[in-house]
Amino acid sequence: MINSRCSQRIAPTWDALSDGLKSRNSFCARVTEALFTPTAGGRQVLHREDSTCTNTRSRKANYKLRPVSFPPWPVPRKIMSTKEKRIIHTLTNVAMWFEERLNLVKIWKATGGHPIPRSSASWFYVFGSMTLLCFTIQILTGILLALVYIPSANEAYRSLEFLNYQQELGWFLRAVHYWGSNCMVIVMFFHMTQVFLWGAYKHPRELTWISGVVLLLLTLGLSFTGQVMRFDSDAYWGIGIGAAISGRIPFVGAQVVNLLLGGPIIGSDTLSRFFALHVFVLPGAVIALVSLHLRLVLLKGINEYPKPGVQVNKETYVKEYEEMVHKDGMPFVPNGIGKDIVANGLLLLVIVALAVFIGPKGPEIPADPAQIISEAKPDYPFLWLLSAAALLPNGSEIILFFVVPTIAMILMFGLPFFSNQGEKHYSRRPISVIVVLLTYLVIGMLTYAGITGPWSPHMEAWSGTPMKPEFIKGRSPVELQGALLVQSKQCRNCHAIGDEGGHRGPDLSDVGARMNEPELVRQVIQGGGNMPAYGNNLTQEEVKALVSYLVSLRPPGTIPALNPANPEKSNHVSSSEPPKEAPAGG
């Protein structure tokens, strides 16, 4: 028999047990509580309860099984040891020491945990973080490359060859750095396009847009100066073209050229200055502008996804935006960062894949001022400028390199001031959509033309491409002398004959059927279009021989181009045909 007093304490009614559990003062109530195993809310279960009172005489007696109903209890927490408590206490003190001095919680809430509109957690908003990832890759790989690279005209090319073929994974670092640069420019253009079409430059984010435009210019500067670091033929003649463009700046052109080149020629001083720009000046400016840009983003908030018909009003927008974020906002981390993580992961895979399967660019032919390599091309972000310069008529460089960029900068910097209110959604701003489409179409087509078009002469054609027999056979001695001049004066570098040679100028295979003798003389002596004048480089006899050969270049059986001054001279057929014998008895 169980002591009746103990029985009353261990096996109470449910009401008494509830009262005991509420008070949590009764020892037997606590023991009984430990006997109940949490199950689904309030189901009937059976329990065998043993006596645990110290004043009982029989330990073998059991209570009868009975159904009881109880709410789910929390699982008891593990009791920590003294050592574990000491470690946690130490870590807590260290964390609180930093918190009291750095306000880390406050900083986190204002940065990673800052609230954003729920609509801005979109795939269209990932380009900003992708640009930041590219810049981070550039900084890390650039530091590693700088450990080996030697900014000297004599050693730069050799150090890149060492990275490509001797340094372990040096080629991979160069490839990641190169393709990261190209991806950074492309992604930044996408980011600027999204901001423009979404109207995120409007009030109160004017300075955010302006800082982004400056960052775009700095990024292009990094890309150009990075090409110079290779110091191969592309870099050498790229510097020459850049110096020629800078020299045409009004009033200060000569001073700018001297500042860039460090002297009258392109040499070690030039490379050292571009190295300082690429490694110190421009990255430092980008870091400062990125800090300002992010500060403005946090201060003025991320632009919400625009809706058609919703207007931006200077007097009410800020209050409406704060109410929207308070009502339907969410923290950027962890709620809004998911798409950014996925997009950045894909971008990283793309950069690594390009680095592995395509590899780094260059170095190409070593830089040599005595060897003119006019097939040199800039990197991808500037190919459209090469195509535009090749397609535009001679003398239009001022318009291309000064007038157009000046107008573009005025429009981009002035955009948030003369269009900072009103509609945001692109469907209500058709002019903005047309501007974006035309810009991408023009740059895309010019870039494609720069990749595939024959904009540069074939500099080895004059010495490495033989003349086909059909363009030599049957010519007179004067015409043969002209054929020698076509080769020795390097005409074939720009002009193909029989589809062999350069394609910078028109094919000369049928030039005699298109242009008469006076026109050819004038073209050779005075030049025209993109052809330079050779009047000071050829004697009168050489001009006559060269033109005679050019007149003979026409398909068999065709007459030369008409000469209005002497039409009777246009009746003889091509000299490539054997001369006809005179009839007997004449």
Side-chain angles (χ1 to χ4, degrees), residues 571-585:
N571 294 329
H572 67 276
V573 296
S574 173
S575 60
S576 60
E577 294 181 343
K580 297 181 179 180
E581 297 181 358

Side-chain angles (χ1 to χ4, degrees), residues 266-493:
I266 301 173
S268 294
D269 292 339
T270 306
L271 185 57
S272 297
R273 297 195 177 200
F274 275 90
F275 179 79
L277 283 174
H278 185 71
V279 176
F280 302 111
V281 179
L282 293 178
V286 170
I287 292 173
L289 263 295
V290 166
S291 302
L292 174 62
H293 191 75
L294 294 178
R295 173 60 181 164
L296 291 170
V297 170
L298 296 174
L299 185 63
K300 298 302 178 182
I302 296 178
N303 186 56
E304 73 281 4
Y305 200 99
K307 296 180 180 179
V310 177
Q311 303 285 324
V312 175
N313 191 308
K314 285 184 178 181
E315 287 73 21
T316 60
Y317 176 79
V318 175
K319 183 178 180 181
E320 292 172 353
Y321 179 83
E322 292 176 352
E323 292 177 353
M324 176 186 59
V325 172
H326 179 73
K327 180 181 178 181
D328 193 36
M330 62 181 183
F332 178 67
V333 180
N335 301 75
I337 200 175
K339 292 183 175 63
D340 290 85
I341 294 176
V342 174
N344 281 272
L346 293 176
L347 176 62
L348 185 60
L349 290 177
V350 169
I351 294 175
V352 172
L354 290 171
V356 171
F357 294 105
I358 299 181
K361 181 176 181 179
E364 306 294 343
I365 302 173
D368 185 0
Q371 185 179 7
I372 300 176
I373 307 294
S374 53
E375 287 184 345
K377 290 184 178 181
D379 288 345
Y380 290 114
F382 304 99
L383 273 177
W384 66 277
L385 281 175
L386 170 70
S387 301
L391 291 172
L392 290 175
N394 192 25
S396 60
E397 293 83 4
I398 298 294
I399 297 176
L400 176 62
F401 294 110
F402 292 104
V403 177
V404 173
T406 301
I407 295 175
M409 289 300 101
I410 292 174
L411 292 176
M412 294 186 72
F413 281 106
L415 179 64
F417 298 104
F418 59 75
S419 178
N420 58 356
Q421 295 190 86
E423 188 71 45
K424 277 188 175 183
H425 199 269
Y426 53 85
S427 64
R428 302 293 182 90
R429 296 160 51 222
I431 296 179
S432 301
V433 177
I434 293 174
V435 169
V436 170
L437 291 178
L438 287 178
T439 302
Y440 274 88
L441 183 64
V442 170
I443 293 179
M445 292 180 66
L446 289 177
T447 301
Y448 177 78
I451 297 173
T452 60
W455 304 123
S456 299
H458 180 50
M459 299 306 296
E460 294 78 25
W462 73 276
S463 61
T465 304
M467 191 82 73
K468 291 183 178 180
E470 57 265 30
F471 297 104
I472 300 296
K473 184 179 179 180
R475 262 64 180 183
S476 66
V478 175
E479 292 172 348
L480 290 175
Q481 183 65 28
L484 292 176
L485 290 171
V486 168
Q487 289 289 118
S488 62
K489 296 299 181 180
Q490 304 184 14
C491 298
R492 297 193 64 194
N493 294 350

